[in-house]
């Protein structure tokens, strides 16, 4: 069910429809044995326009949440989640068959269970596990919606998968950094269900692969207050991943090339949250593999330069749009040669 078109939800408009123009600052774009048409995308050809629909906070009475993120109303499952939806170029979404089957199995398991849900009386934002737990989706999509909700309902609560609430990781650190009080957070247990007397859902703040201006406004205000001492203003970013996801097979050679050019090498994506934001404010040049490690672009500034090393099989424009919005210079090496085939696709090396 789409809450935007639903009759079960009341709503409060947070932002009216807005159209923005973005003009990318392009550096060197180079393909290495790639047949990917990515550089033919209209965004790479000059100024592009994106119209973002209105953003609303939608309130639904008596919603049950189970498995950390699946929300159910008597009218049907509320499917409002990137793990469930897959975006099309025109900004619409479709539900994949495999995901739909998984949701049906989860619903069947839930309905056959005997446990009574815990009841939450207070108005609560259902902040979905956007992007399956990746830092990029959290910082650019989930966190801004939480901040929007708290501005509208300062005493409202936030329901999150437990892993997002720990102060020992960057998800939890970012919540504290933006003043989200621990007592307002409900840490969802994957093995329990919860009935929310009044559940809030905030619309997506990305559209057709582009980031809403609200994102930069909400995240930037605090980032300007932090400082960090830099070893170098040029950073080669090691990927922060515990699995073989989009690895560079000859990483040592590539990194040495960067070191020879005056870069330092470091795992920016796993650095503490405040440090990440400060580095993105102060450094001048960044080199890294396309992925969540580049999400800190939202804290950057005009004139900084980014070289995205992009595998042929992962050519989205999400980070390109972030850089265009911030006025950064975008360089890209699109790599077509695969070193080893793996499944799923994103686990390949190049």
């Amino acid at each position: 069910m789409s809450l935007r078109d639903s009759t079960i939800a009341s709503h409060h408009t947070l932002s009216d429809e807005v159209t923005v123009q973005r003009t990318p600052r392009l550096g060197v774009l180079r393909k290495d044995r790639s047949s990917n048409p990515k550089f033919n995308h209209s965004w790479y050809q000059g100024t592009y326009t994106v119209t973002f629909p209105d953003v609303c906070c939608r309130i639904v009475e008596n919603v049950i949440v189970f498995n950390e993120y699946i929300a159910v109303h008597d009218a049907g499952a509320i499917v409002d989640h990137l793990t469930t939806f897959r975006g099309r170029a025109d900004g619409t979404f479709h539900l994949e068959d495999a995901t739909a089957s998984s949701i049906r199995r989860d619903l069947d398991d839930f309905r056959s269970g005997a446990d009574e849900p815990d009841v939450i009386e207070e108005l609560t934002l259902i902040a979905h596990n956007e992007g399956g737990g990746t830092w990029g989706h959290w910082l650019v999509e989930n966190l801004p919606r939480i901040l929007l909700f708290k501005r509208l309902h300062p005493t409202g609560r936030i329901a999150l998968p437990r892993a997002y609430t720990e102060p020992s990781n960057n998800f939890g650190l970012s919540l504290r950094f933006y003043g989200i009080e621990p007592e307002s957070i409900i840490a969802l247990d994957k093995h329990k269900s919860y009935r929310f007397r009044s559940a809030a859902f905030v619309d997506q703040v990305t559209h057709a692969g582009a980031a809403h201006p609200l994102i930069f406004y909400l995240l930037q205000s605090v980032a300007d207050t932090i400082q960090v001492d830099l070893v170098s203003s040029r950073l080669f970013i090691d990927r922060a991943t515990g699995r073989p996801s989009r690895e560079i097979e000859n990483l040592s050679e590539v990194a040495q090339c960067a070191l020879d050019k005056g870069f330092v090498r470091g795992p920016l994506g796993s650095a503490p949250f405040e440090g990440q934001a400060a580095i993105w404010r102060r450094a001048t040049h960044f080199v890294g593999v396309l992925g969540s490690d580049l999400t800190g672009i939202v804290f950057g500034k005009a004139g900084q330069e980014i070289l995205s090393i992009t595998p042929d099989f992962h050519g989205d424009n999400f980070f390109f749009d972030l850089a265009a919005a911030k006025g950064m210079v975008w360089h890209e090496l699109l790599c077509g040669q695969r070193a080893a085939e793996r499944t799923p696709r994103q686990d390949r090396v190049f």
Side-chain angles (χ1 to χ4, degrees):
M1 145 190 330
S2 169
L3 286 179
R4 182 171 287 276
D5 303 320
S6 170
T7 59
I8 66 170
S10 60
H11 71 275
H12 180 98
T13 301
L14 302 170
S15 171
D16 292 328
E17 179 182 293
V18 61
T19 298
V20 300
Q21 281 192 332
R22 289 178 180 157
T23 303
R25 300 178 64 181
L26 297 177
V28 176
L29 305 178
R30 184 180 180 91
K31 288 188 177 184
D32 175 20
R33 308 182 200 180
S34 170
S35 59
N36 193 313
K38 180 179 182 180
F39 294 156
N40 296 327
H41 192 285
S42 59
W43 290 4
Y44 284 81
Q45 309 307 311
T47 299
Y48 60 93
T49 300
V50 181
T51 297
F52 295 92
D54 59 334
V55 177
C56 296
C57 177
R58 304 176 191 277
I59 310 296
V60 184
E61 302 301 321
N62 287 313
V63 170
I64 293 178
V65 173
F66 66 97
N67 199 21
E68 292 184 327
Y69 78 90
I70 297 180
V72 180
H73 184 268
D74 289 341
I78 300 169
V79 181
D80 187 29
H81 185 272
L82 275 186
T83 301
T84 310
F85 274 144
R86 292 289 184 259
R88 298 188 179 101
D90 62 0
T92 61
F93 294 85
H94 71 281
L95 184 62
E96 290 187 337
D97 290 342
T99 307
S101 297
S102 175
I103 290 173
R104 281 194 293 270
R105 286 195 301 272
D106 287 339
L107 282 170
D108 289 342
D109 290 343
F110 166 69
R111 286 165 178 159
S112 64
D115 293 341
E116 285 294 317
D118 290 355
V119 177
I120 310 296
E121 300 289 349
E122 303 97 326
L123 174 64
T124 304
L125 174 69
I126 309 302
H128 287 316
N129 175 17
E130 208 67 79
T134 60
W135 179 241
H137 288 293
W138 167 264
L139 186 58
V140 176
E141 297 183 89
N142 254 352
L143 183 57
R145 291 195 285 176
I146 291 171
L147 299 179
L148 282 171
F149 172 75
K150 290 296 280 185
R151 287 188 175 211
L152 180 63
H153 298 287
T155 61
R157 304 187 72 184
I158 315 293
L160 285 167
R162 186 175 300 279
Y164 284 79
T165 67
E166 301 295 336
S168 58
N169 62 39
N170 273 333
F171 299 109
L173 286 174
S174 65
L175 289 167
R176 308 299 185 270
F177 185 74
Y178 284 97
I180 306 300
E181 312 86 355
E183 57 270 19
S184 73
I185 299 172
I186 299 171
L188 299 177
D189 185 331
K190 184 179 180 67
H191 304 291
K192 296 176 63 176
S193 60
Y194 304 80
R195 179 184 295 277
F196 295 92
R197 298 296 190 195
S198 188
F201 300 83
V202 174
D203 293 337
Q204 292 275 359
V205 288
T206 58
H207 179 68
H212 198 290
L214 278 171
I215 294 168
F216 306 99
Y217 169 73
L218 291 165
L219 295 181
Q220 192 60 60
S221 58
V222 183
D224 288 335
T225 65
I226 55 181
Q227 298 293 326
V228 67
D229 293 326
L230 298 181
V231 176
S232 171
S233 63
R234 297 181 169 213
L235 184 65
F236 180 87
I237 305 170
D238 282 328
R239 278 184 59 71
T241 177
R243 62 188 180 92
S245 176
R246 297 196 298 280
E247 288 182 338
I248 301 175
E249 179 78 1
N250 58 331
L251 176 61
S252 59
E253 297 173 46
V254 177
Q256 186 59 52
C257 180
L259 294 175
D260 292 343
K261 299 294 184 182
F263 285 75
V264 297
R265 183 176 176 182
L268 179 59
S270 59
F273 176 71
E274 290 191 34
Q276 285 191 44
I279 290 170
W280 278 101
R281 289 299 293 159
R282 297 193 59 200
T284 60
H285 293 74
F286 301 86
V287 174
V289 175
L290 184 75
S292 286
D293 299 310
L294 297 183
T295 310
I297 287 172
V298 298
F299 300 118
K301 56 188 177 183
Q304 290 173 316
E305 303 205 31
I306 296 173
L307 169 57
S308 171
I309 304 172
T310 305
D312 181 87
F313 51 85
H314 190 76
D316 69 55
N317 296 320
F318 177 74
F319 299 100
F320 177 88
D321 175 73
L322 293 179
K326 300 296 290 191
M328 297 177 177
V329 182
W330 182 265
H331 310 269
E332 189 162 357
L333 173 60
L334 187 55
C335 305
Q337 184 177 10
R338 297 172 188 168
E341 291 288 350
R342 292 180 182 148
T343 301
R345 182 186 68 166
Q346 64 266 24
D347 285 347
R348 293 174 183 169
V349 293
F350 64 99

